[in-house]
Amino acid sequence: MVRNTTRNFLVVMAVLALLIVPAMAQDEGTVVVEAGDPVVIGVAAVISGEGLAPLGEDIVRGVELALDERGTVTVGDVEFEVTIDVQDDLCSAEGGQAVANYYVSNPQIVGIVGPTCSSACRGAGPILDSAGYIMISASCTNPALAADFVSFNRTAPNDDAQGVEDAIFIYDYLGITKLATIHDGSPYGEGLVTNVAAAFEELGGEVVAQDAVTVGDTDFRSTLNTIAAAGPELIFFGGFPAEAARLAEQRADAGLSEVPFMGADGLYSPELINLGGAAVEGVYMSTPAPAVSDALSEFVAAYEEKYGFAPTAAFHSYSHDAVLMYLDAIEAVGEIDADGNLVIDRAALAEYIANYGAEEPVVGLSGLLSCNGDGECAQGGIGFFQVQDGEIVRLETMSMELE
Amino acid sequence: MSLLEVHDIHTYYGKIHALKGISLTVEKGEIVTLIGGNGAGKTTTLNTISGITPAAEGYIIFEGKDITRAPAHQIVSFGVIQSPEGRKIFTRLTVRENLEMGAFIRKDLAKIARDMEYVFHRFPRLKERINQLGGTLSGGEQQMLAIGRALMASPHLLLLDEPSMGLAPMLVEEIFNVIQYLNGESGTTILLVEQNATKALEIAARGYVLQSGYITHRGTGAELQHDPTIIEAYLGGH
Amino acid sequence: MLKSIPIAGRLRFGNDPVQTFLYMAGGALLLFFAFIAVRNTLTGAYGIDDFLQGIVLGLAQGSIYALIALGYTLVYGVLMMINFAHSEVFMGGAYIGFFAINAFHESGFLAENTLVALLITMAIGMLASVILAVLLERIAYRPLRNAPRLVPLITAIGASITLQQIFLRLFGGGTRSYPVVSLCIGGTLQGTTCEGGIDIMQGRYQVEVFGGEIVIRPLYFVIFFIALILMAALWFFVQRTKVGKAMRAVAEDKNTAALMGVNVDRVIVLTFVLGALMAGAAAVLFALYNRQVSPFMGFTPGVKAFTAAVLGGIGNVPGAMAGGVLLGVIESAAPQMLGLPSQLEDVVAFGVLVLILIFRPTGIFGEVLAKKKA
Ligand SMILES: Nc1ncnc2c1ncn2[C@@H]1O[C@H](COP(=O)(O)OP(=O)(O)OP(=O)(O)O)[C@@H](O)[C@H]1O
Ligand SMILES: [Mg+2]
């Protein structure tokens, strides 16, 4: 009996040791990619949800095309394949938390491209911060994110930049002095609308009505009715295509059919036209838009060839650049250990990304990339677009194109 | 062949073994009564016949058909009609609607109308309250309605569960008169469950005594009426 | 008809201080609402024109709520169960209706023979809802008929999520749009304008009222009248037909109904079918009105319709109708009247629900009978 107990105890200890030793060997702060294994990058994007999937899918496609161009990293003389693990961020704080928890439980994930929506970035931030992981979002444009989370980086310009430019566009280019704003209650929508309204008043315009709608609601007629009473000359909406299409369409039921409708990058998607049809004709939108370049045209051509349709949102070039940043960073900070494994120190990786292109901007697809140490990497400008004859057409404006 | 033949049925409520092998028969044209104390299994016996609480063992034959496993609504369509304990009239339906529910399975509109006239003839009180909600009737009126409703089905076999319960003596008398009348005049076969054993045995051809899920005595009405143990236990004899 | 139980019965405590407090709080809130409304009217911030606009908008939306609410109320009346998956029965009708109308649109049938195409779409939507509801009853609820009441409730929530996910996996998460349909009555359609007649689907008319201008669409009234006709038909069915009577009998007492020869299972299925017919019709009207459909579209109207059912007195058919229309009107008129952001329209709607339940725990049409018996 005694012998048996002792033996059992030893067996248990041995099993525990077997379990614990590798866990200890794999330090939390490093990624160890065994020789022959691929490097894995997480991609958190919204791939379900009303009218949102085209935005997230555009981001995933940008990543896939970046890997078609450059599918490996070489550290020392060893080449490692790069693969992705795509998860749905649901465009919500809960979704962001869920994907962040998913990724931090997998020590093989080097970093994350995404999430798509500012709400999801906000949800993911604290979890990634405490795990020492980083994200590079192609589309979370809520300004506060960069300061709030160490883990957060973005390749797209934030809504401060976009809000100011939108206000200038509305006031100077369209010559409008009375503005109504609506947001959808998301951090993105609310932040954007606040920026636009503040900048618009600073320019001398008047914000005559401010309101908000609930995502998923379908009947916004009473909201529009309230707004109509204030007599706005333009309605600016911070939100996404599904609600935008309804608002644009239901304008007519509130006697606002002649009042132009505008949104930002959240609306920049053919989905808006699919949903709204004739009702979204004439809708304006701004979006982070890289200066037109040969590289970009080639990229879009490759996109159309690979997927068979035009880009479904404006984020593909930003997610493409996010991948390049990771690949450069891995090659710069990665090391090969005695067993031929690739070892990446997370802190070094984060440091490298935070200062990517700080000394000398790197030419990316979306424009120049130069991170400010706080996670703001975009140097690209904002473009303005309008739905004309069922197509999203870029407008020639005085919008500044930072080179 | 008996009209109804119940053979050694066992019925359970979950783990509670309520009927422990009940056998009884009812001949065409008879009044048969089932007496017994509270919780003896009288209601359960009727509900098992009606298919509300199907028997786990044993079988029930009605007019030569095995109805043991038939669903309740089908048993009704065979002509076995129960007027349940506590009247169970539909309180949110009017008097007329309650009676129409009684005739639910029937399609012969002319005959239904005639039967309704007959019910109103027997219970003029109901006619006065024809459009009143069932829930607003007095206890006695509700019992009349319950019996009337059962008649509307033109039963081959009428199962009556304590029709005199909770009624004033005058009304009890009237109810028993109606039962006898139904049996005598229109030849309706009746299986009568009663707490009022004295009266039940007076009008019944035969009777069964139930106790704790078993049948303890059986016999003609007269035999049971004069059985000392029954007098002791059920007929309030001293 | 049917039974109504005071869901919010706990709000009523007899003559104790809590009830007094609730009455006073409710009264204060009412006075406060009235004060703001009067003030906004006097300052000109809110006019009669705004009110009328609110009413017509609320009428259309509210009729749709009412139709959906009937499904909740019927099933509750018969099974004492809140069928949370009813919102997905609604969604399914709208979604499958989309495939029908889209096919008609692409084949040109919709343009050629608009009225017939619309009627067929509605029939298909109703059929889809009925199929979903019948499957739901058979698979999810019937096996649990005798389980404790919490069990089918939780199953209903599960069924709701399952149906959403099935539609999501089958048809994708994207939103789809019903085509823009014009139905020109008394004139000819030239492009998108109805020459010499009225376009009862797309037409919009600016109407001068009380110094203001409101936009009226004939569609609002079309929705209202279709809803009214359907509800009247349902009312007639439940009150006047033999099967309707059986349904009321089953609602009151299943065993006794069975003793009358009623096939209780069949009546329960029928209850689901009736609710689904209303929901399917509501779904197609809703989708023609608001145009967008998605697997998640059922949630909000579902919650509103359930609220409407409680508002009117759950289990009560006329109550569901009145509750729906009332909720629609309050929702569209109240935020503006009170000068609140319309994001708070739900808060206002549920605030009214709480108010009504304080003063009438059984809902507007909730029967006093239920209270007497309790
Ligand atoms: N629904 C039920 N669930 C559990 N047990 C039950 C149920 N109905 C009856 N019983 C039990 O079955 C037994 C027989 O009950 P039943 O109602 O048949 O008696 P009864 O002879 O009709 O009595 P009473 O004269 O009081 O009506 C009793 O012990 C009773 O407690
Ligand atoms: Mg009994």
Side-chain angles (χ1 to χ4, degrees), chain C residues 205-371:
Chain C
Y205 299 90
Q206 307 258 346
V207 182
E208 295 268 351
V209 278
F210 301 101
E213 208 169 55
I214 64 173
V215 180
I216 300 250
R217 289 177 68 172
L219 180 62
Y220 301 148
F221 302 102
V222 171
I223 292 174
F224 181 68
F225 283 115
I226 291 179
L228 215 57
I229 290 167
L230 286 170
M231 292 188 281
L234 178 73
W235 177 242
F236 178 84
F237 181 84
V238 170
Q239 287 300 323
R240 291 277 176 271
T241 65
K242 190 170 161 179
V243 186
K245 234 169 284 161
M247 206 160 145
R248 285 183 286 145
V250 169
E252 198 173 327
D253 183 342
K254 286 175 196 48
N255 277 347
T256 307
L259 289 178
M260 303 295 118
V262 175
N263 185 340
V264 174
D265 278 338
R266 221 192 269 167
V267 168
I268 288 172
V269 171
L270 180 74
T271 311
F272 277 86
V273 167
L274 287 178
L277 282 173
M278 299 292 138
V284 173
L285 289 175
F286 180 91
L288 287 169
Y289 179 44
N290 291 318
R291 289 198 42 234
Q292 293 183 21
V293 296
S294 81
F296 305 105
M297 67 179 285
F299 180 75
T300 310
V303 169
K304 297 287 171 60
F306 174 63
T307 307
V310 176
L311 199 63
I314 191 150
N316 183 301
V317 168
M321 305 182 202
V325 174
L326 185 68
L327 187 70
V329 169
I330 289 171
E331 209 178 66
S332 68
Q336 196 184 357
M337 190 188 289
L338 302 177
L340 295 171
S342 54
Q343 218 180 11
L344 293 183
E345 72 180 30
D346 294 352
V347 177
V348 175
F350 292 117
V352 168
L353 176 69
V354 170
L355 270 181
I356 287 185
L357 292 180
I358 285 177
F359 294 108
R360 273 198 73 89
T362 51
I364 305 171
F365 281 56
E367 287 165 45
V368 192
L369 202 67
K371 221 168 65 194

Side-chain angles (χ1 to χ4, degrees), chain A residues 54-55 58-59 138-139 156 265-270 286-290 303 311-319 366 385:
Chain A
L55 307 184
D58 189 59
I59 288 171
S139 53
D265 48 334
L267 265 53
Y268 180 89
S269 165
S286 65
T287 187
Y303 188 118
T312 55
F315 302 125
H316 45 275
S317 62
Y318 300 97
S319 62
S366 63
F385 298 78

